[in-house]
Amino acid sequence: MAHDHDHDHEHEDEAGHEHEEDAQAAAEAEARRRLALAQIRQYGDAALRLQAHEVTEFDDDLRRLVERMIALMHDAQGIGLAATQVGVLRRLFVFEPDEEGPRAIVNPVVVERGEETATEEEGCLSLQGVRVPVERATRVVLEGKDPNGDDLRVELEPYGARIVQHELDHLDGVLIIDRTDDEHRKEALATLRPRVVLR
Ligand SMILES: [Zn+2]
């Protein structure tokens, strides 16, 4: 899931001064973001539409994958990333809803879903330039495993609940354009359509 600007926890320079060092740091961050996005499958890639399989081996390969996904999520300035987005058809995702740091959930299953829903705009690291309103439950309880194979249970309130529902969708080949209304879907598809290059 792409960074939600309404919940931006990065600090803006209050005084509005653009120091040279800040500008350089921003340019470096932007270069890292572009590099990360180039490694994340983009709309049109078949992997984004496939069903991911249950993880059975909790080994070093899995833990390396989790580390790589967390690094990519950070570099891409996202708040969630599913394995299918890096072309790996295994049921796991990483996410970071707050300052407590990144978390990974393997074989996640929703065991409780609140009845209350909310509609908010979502972005996706695989759908550049698209933000569409999506209705989600405001509370979910997930069970799964951590990367070592130990049981995990997490209760999530609106912001985190939205992220994990988005990432869970990725594991079933579902994208935000499938969850929005017809008008926004049409607009999004126009943005995503490869542009005709005129020479
Ligand atoms: Zn996404």
Side-chain angles (χ1 to χ4, degrees), residues 62-102:
L62 180 72
R63 288 181 283 273
R64 269 194 293 271
L65 173 65
V66 166
E67 289 309 312
R68 183 174 154 243
M69 285 171 59
I70 288 171
L72 272 179
M73 173 177 74
H74 283 160
D75 284 352
Q77 297 168 22
I79 47 172
L81 185 68
T84 48
Q85 290 179 279
V86 291
V88 176
L89 302 181
R90 294 196 225 167
R91 299 193 77 80
L92 74 129
F93 63 77
V94 296
F95 71 116
E96 190 162 9
D98 47 41
E99 268 106 49
E100 281 174 42

Side-chain angles (χ1 to χ4, degrees), residues 1-2 80-82 85 122-127 166-167 170 174-176:
M1 190 168 172
L81 185 68
Q85 290 179 279
E122 286 182 22
C124 179
L125 293 175
S126 294
L127 279 74
H166 176 120
E167 303 310 331
H170 273 302
V174 175
L175 302 172
I176 50 175

Side-chain angles (χ1 to χ4, degrees), residues 96-161:
E96 190 162 9
D98 47 41
E99 268 106 49
E100 281 174 42
R103 292 186 244 175
I105 304 192
V106 184
N107 298 338
V109 177
V110 174
V111 292
E112 270 179 63
R113 190 185 295 268
E115 276 176 30
E116 193 192 313
T117 64
T119 302
E120 302 265 3
E121 278 202 341
E122 286 182 22
C124 179
L125 293 175
S126 294
L127 279 74
Q128 291 300 298
V130 167
R131 291 187 69 78
V132 292
V134 179
E135 185 180 12
R136 303 278 191 197
T138 55
R139 183 181 170 276
V140 293
V141 179
L142 276 188
E143 282 184 3
K145 302 273 188 192
D146 70 14
N148 296 315
D150 294 322
D151 288 339
L152 203 72
R153 180 184 166 93
V154 277
E155 281 189 45
L156 296 145
E157 297 292 331
Y159 190 46

Side-chain angles (χ1 to χ4, degrees), residues 20-31:
E20 215 168 283
E21 285 164 29
D22 290 348
Q24 196 188 335
E28 281 168 13
E30 179 58 16

